[in-house]
């Protein structure tokens, strides 16, 4: 396994970062989740070279506890009994994966990250939470800066094949959602509105302001349909595969079989003689089918599909290089490759339906990932024009405008935790401060995804026209009043979007002045200058500052 190599040229690590790096690296990896609270970022813009020691410490954990587990390669026969090494240390693994995602989200030089082979293996983890966390790390590693055409992230054949398998069903859910609503319960009163079908979920409906998600009645619960070609020969686990030819697996109600995803896959693979190189494709169908049989599971399945699609789209070469590094596994994966490389207006419309249903009880993670996928599509050459065309039609600008206004309102309404001298004077108990920080952070993921999409759109002519349709200035300007220390990065990105947008059109500059934007900027600069002077006076008078840590709230 390739670790992160130290830089040839010495890179100076800030003292506050080094203190946290040393603390994490000196802690045994199996104890990280018990010694430290969830990892949070408090360092400003970072460089992954500052965190090489930590990332290599994490890689040692993967080498010891992930690489030896052959069941993650789906090559273990049921007759072999308990997998390698006893119970998997999922708590430690989750802490490491989530900390890694935070580091990658906040650092440059992400292309140096070298543990993707282990992440690829974890996509087959028996614990769904671990598999999803691995996808989030890959999404962070592949995320491009707005306007960038490349991120120098290369995925190997194994990873691309697994991601394609996890995308399975995206095209089906888009076509299903385009067909209108379908009530899972049937009947209903005259005032009951039909639910909206998005990404395999039934959202809202039922009248009386009902919110929440269900599952589509048009789907066979827990059903798998898998077509594949089996070559003639022998398999190391199954033995003789029988005669060559096309085969079809059709099974339903898999969520009722009482077996784990691995056990169900092994059972079907043994019965239908599925070759080793197609076994993860079958496993992905089994997992997604079982998840899709419950409302909560359907939400997780939607997140898995969206994450896998976004990672593939943003890997080196984008949609244009999707066929590189080996072909897909199975007929359904071939369809997934076509879905990735060709414009998909139905899928874009499906993502916009997610935004429309945002206030109907749809999980925020699904909305956030839909925005991330829209940003990735809008930044991809083969999809860009199609995305913008759909976004400018069918009332979508109004939906997008309402979402921006809602996100700004939530950020503004969130509590502002005390910092610096205010924090010392407040003397708040840690539990109370953690609660305030958590409430302040709650609207951040959605706002970050939204600003990412805005930052991508504003770099193109068509995108700026879309933002003009959205009436961007009136809905985004109130964000300049937000002084919350935990929202500074969002405000900074929003200001950058406004700068580019006003460069695009002189009418936007005039509107900015008419709406009081100039006064807002001047007032904010004045307040920030006063804060900086006060902080300097405080630290100068006390002879220094307390460094603080990077682990914990």
């Amino acid at each position: 396994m390739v670790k992160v190599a130290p830089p040839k040229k010495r890179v100076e690590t800030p003292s506050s970062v080094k203190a946290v790096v040393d603390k994490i690296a000196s802690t045994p990896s199996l104890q990280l989740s018990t010694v430290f609270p969830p990892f949070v970022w408090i360092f400003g813009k970072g460089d992954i070279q500052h965190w090489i020691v930590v990332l290599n410490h994490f890689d040692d954990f993967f080498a010891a506890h992930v690489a030896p587990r052959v069941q993650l390669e789906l090559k273990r026969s049921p007759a072999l009994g308990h997998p390698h090494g006893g119970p998997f240390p999922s708590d430690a693994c989750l802490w490491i994966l989530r900390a890694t995602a935070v580091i990658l989200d906040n650092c440059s030089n992400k292309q140096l990250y070298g543990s993707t082979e282990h992440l690829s293996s974890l996509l087959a983890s028996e614990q769904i939470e671990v598999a999803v966390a691995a996808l989030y790390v890959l999404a962070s590693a592949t995320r491009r800066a707005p306007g960038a055409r490349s991120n120098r992230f290369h995925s190997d054949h194994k990873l691309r094949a697994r991601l394609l398998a996890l995308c399975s069903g995206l095209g089906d859910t888009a076509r299903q959602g385009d067909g209108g609503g379908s009530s899972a319960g049937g009947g209903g009163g005259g005032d009951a509105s039909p639910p909206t079908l998005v990404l395999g979920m039934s959202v809202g409906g039922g009248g009386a302001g009902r919110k929440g998600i269900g599952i589509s009645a048009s789907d066979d619960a827990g059903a798998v349909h898998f077509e594949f070609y089996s070559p003639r020969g022998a398999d190391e686990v199954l033995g003789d595969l029988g005669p060559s030819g096309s085969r079809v697996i059709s099974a339903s109600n898999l969520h009722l079989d009482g077996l784990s995803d691995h056990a169900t896959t092994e059972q079907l693979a043994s019965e239908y003689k599925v070759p080793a190189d197609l076994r993860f494709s079958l496993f992905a169908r089994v997992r997604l089918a079982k998840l899709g049989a419950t409302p909560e599971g359907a939400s997780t399945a939607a997140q898995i599909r969206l994450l896998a699609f976004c990672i593939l789209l943003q890997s080196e070469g984008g949609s244009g290089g999707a066929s590189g590094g080996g072909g897909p596994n199975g007929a359904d994966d071939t369809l997934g490759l076509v879905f990735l490389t060709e414009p998909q207006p139905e899928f874009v419309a499906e993502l916009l339906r997610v935004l429309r249903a945002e206030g109907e009880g749809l999980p925020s993670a699904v909305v956030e990932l839909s925005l991330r996928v829209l940003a990735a599509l809008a930044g991809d050459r083969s999809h860009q024009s199609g995305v913008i065309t759909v976004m400018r039609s069918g009332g979508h600008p109004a939906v997008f405008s309402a979402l921006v206004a809602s996100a700004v309102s939530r950020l503004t309404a969130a509590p502002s935790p005390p910092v610096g001298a205010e924090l010392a004077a407040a003397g708040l108990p840690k539990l109370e401060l953690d609660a305030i920080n958590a409430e302040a952070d709650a609207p951040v993921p959605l706002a970050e995804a939204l600003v990412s999409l805005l930052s991508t759109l504003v770099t193109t002519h068509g995108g700026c026209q879309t933002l003009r349709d959205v009436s961007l200035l009136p809905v985004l300007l109130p964000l300049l009043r937000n002084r919350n220390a935990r929202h500074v990065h969002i405000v900074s990105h929003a200001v950058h979007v406004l700068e580019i947008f006003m460069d695009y059109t002189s009418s936007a500059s005039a509107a900015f002045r008419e709406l009081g934007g100039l006064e807002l900027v001047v007032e904010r600069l004045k307040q920030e200058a006063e804060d900086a002077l006060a902080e300097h006076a405080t630290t100068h008078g006390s002879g220094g500052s307390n460094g603080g840590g990077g682990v914990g709230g």
Side-chain angles (χ1 to χ4, degrees):
M1 187 64 235
V2 178
K3 290 189 176 184
V4 183
K8 296 180 180 179
K9 185 177 180 181
R10 179 178 173 81
V11 177
E12 192 67 31
T13 302
S15 58
S16 59
V17 173
K18 189 176 187 306
V20 176
V21 167
D22 292 343
K23 191 185 301 184
I24 294 176
S26 63
T27 303
S29 56
L30 290 176
Q31 299 177 18
L32 287 169
S33 60
T34 55
V35 172
F36 298 111
F39 184 85
V40 296
W41 188 267
I42 60 170
F43 307 106
K45 184 61 179 176
D47 188 325
I48 203 171
Q49 296 181 91
H50 300 156
W51 297 87
I52 288 176
V53 175
V54 165
L55 294 175
N56 285 340
H57 185 44
F58 293 168
D59 194 87
D60 289 338
F61 169 87
F62 294 140
H65 300 283
V66 175
R69 294 178 180 265
V70 294
Q71 72 271 23
L72 295 177
E73 305 308 315
L74 301 173
K75 294 179 180 179
R76 182 176 68 89
S77 168
L80 292 180
H82 202 280
H84 173 276
F88 183 71
S90 55
D91 288 343
C93 188
L94 283 170
W95 194 96
I96 287 171
L97 291 172
R98 289 164 180 166
T100 302
V102 171
I103 292 170
L104 292 174
D105 275 337
N106 290 279
C107 286
S108 58
N109 292 314
K110 293 189 292 186
Q111 75 278 1
L112 297 177
Y113 182 66
S115 298
T116 53
E117 182 179 330
H118 296 311
L119 299 180
S120 179
S121 296
L122 286 173
L123 298 182
S125 172
E126 193 69 81
Q127 290 92 351
I128 295 175
E129 196 175 7
V130 171
V132 172
L135 283 169
Y136 270 103
V137 175
L138 288 167
S140 297
T142 57
R143 190 166 296 138
R144 301 177 189 174
R149 296 296 183 186
S150 172
N151 58 12
R152 293 189 285 175
F153 179 91
H154 294 269
S155 54
D156 60 18
H157 166 57
K158 172 187 170 183
L159 177 57
R160 293 191 69 80
R162 290 193 166 197
L163 291 171
L164 275 170
L166 291 172
C167 285
S168 66
L170 265 183
D172 295 337
T173 60
R175 285 186 289 273
Q176 181 190 80
D178 196 46
S182 171
S183 175
D191 294 333
S193 58
T196 301
L197 297 182
V198 288
L199 301 176
M201 294 173 288
S202 172
V203 184
R210 178 183 171 187
K211 296 183 179 181
I213 63 172
I215 56 174
S216 169
S218 62
D219 288 336
D220 292 328
V224 163
H225 181 85
F226 182 55
E227 300 179 18
F228 67 99
Y229 179 84
S230 178
R232 186 170 184 170
D235 181 87
E236 60 180 315
V237 173
L238 302 177
D240 183 19
L241 294 175
S244 61
S246 298
R247 299 177 189 175
V248 178
I249 298 176
S250 291
S252 58
N253 295 318
L254 292 181
H255 61 298
L256 302 178
D257 65 8
L259 301 175
S260 68
D261 296 343
H262 276 254
T264 300
T265 301
E266 289 172 346
Q267 187 179 79
L268 292 173
S270 177
E271 180 180 353
Y272 291 91
K273 302 295 184 182
V274 180
D277 62 339
L278 298 179
R279 220 158 283 154
F280 183 86
S281 291
L282 175 59
F283 169 79
R285 270 59 167 197
V286 168
R287 167 156 286 177
L288 293 170
K290 288 189 174 186
L291 285 172
T294 64
E296 183 179 356
S299 169
T300 302
Q303 293 175 54
I304 289 173
R305 289 184 170 110
L306 290 173
L307 281 164
F309 181 84
C310 198
I311 295 162
L312 279 169
L313 195 63
Q314 296 200 126
S315 298
E316 180 63 39
S319 61
S323 60
N329 289 335
D332 291 337
D333 290 343
T334 302
L335 293 175
L337 185 57
V338 172
F339 186 78
L340 179 72
T341 55
E342 296 182 0
Q344 300 292 335
E346 290 179 348
F347 179 48
V348 176
E350 178 84 343
L351 295 173
L352 292 170
R353 274 194 294 276
V354 171
L355 306 189
R356 190 185 295 271
E358 188 266 339
E360 299 296 325
L362 200 63
S364 58
V366 175
V367 180
E368 175 198 341
L369 288 172
S370 296
L371 287 166
R372 293 286 188 188
V373 173
L374 281 171
L377 288 167
D380 186 84
R381 289 175 181 171
S382 64
H383 293 279
Q384 189 175 84
S385 61
V387 171
I388 290 173
T389 299
V390 177
M391 288 188 71
R392 299 188 68 191
S393 65
H396 293 136
V399 173
F400 194 49
S401 178
L403 185 62
V404 175
S406 174
V408 170
S409 175
R410 292 175 196 176
L411 287 170
T412 304
S416 184
V419 294
E422 290 183 7
L423 178 60
L428 295 174
K430 185 178 185 303
L431 286 177
E432 184 177 348
L433 181 61
D434 288 346
I436 295 174
N437 287 335
E439 193 174 349
D441 291 341
V444 167
L446 182 63
E448 287 177 338
L450 192 55
V451 170
S452 174
L453 176 55
L454 295 176
S455 300
T456 301
L457 290 173
V458 81
T459 59
T460 65
H461 172 71
C464 282
Q465 289 181 317
T466 304
L467 297 182
R468 186 179 58 191
D469 296 343
V470 169
S471 300
L472 179 68
L473 286 174
V475 294
L476 201 57
L477 270 181
L479 190 57
L480 297 182
R481 297 190 180 94
N482 189 315
R483 300 292 314 285
N484 196 316
R486 301 179 82 87
H487 302 164
V488 169
H489 63 297
I490 297 174
V491 177
S492 176
H493 288 309
V495 169
H496 185 60
V497 169
L498 290 173
E499 287 175 341
I500 299 176
F501 185 59
M502 287 187 288
D503 284 342
Y504 166 74
T505 170
S506 58
S507 61
S509 300
F512 181 78
R513 290 191 295 270
E514 291 173 5
L515 292 168
L518 193 58
E519 289 80 2
L520 279 175
V521 171
V522 170
E523 180 62 25
R524 186 178 182 95
L525 287 173
K526 178 183 176 182
Q527 292 173 341
E528 290 182 355
E530 291 173 351
D531 290 346
L533 289 172
E535 182 179 355
H536 179 270
T538 301
T539 55
H540 181 73
S542 62
S545 63
N546 51 352
V551 181

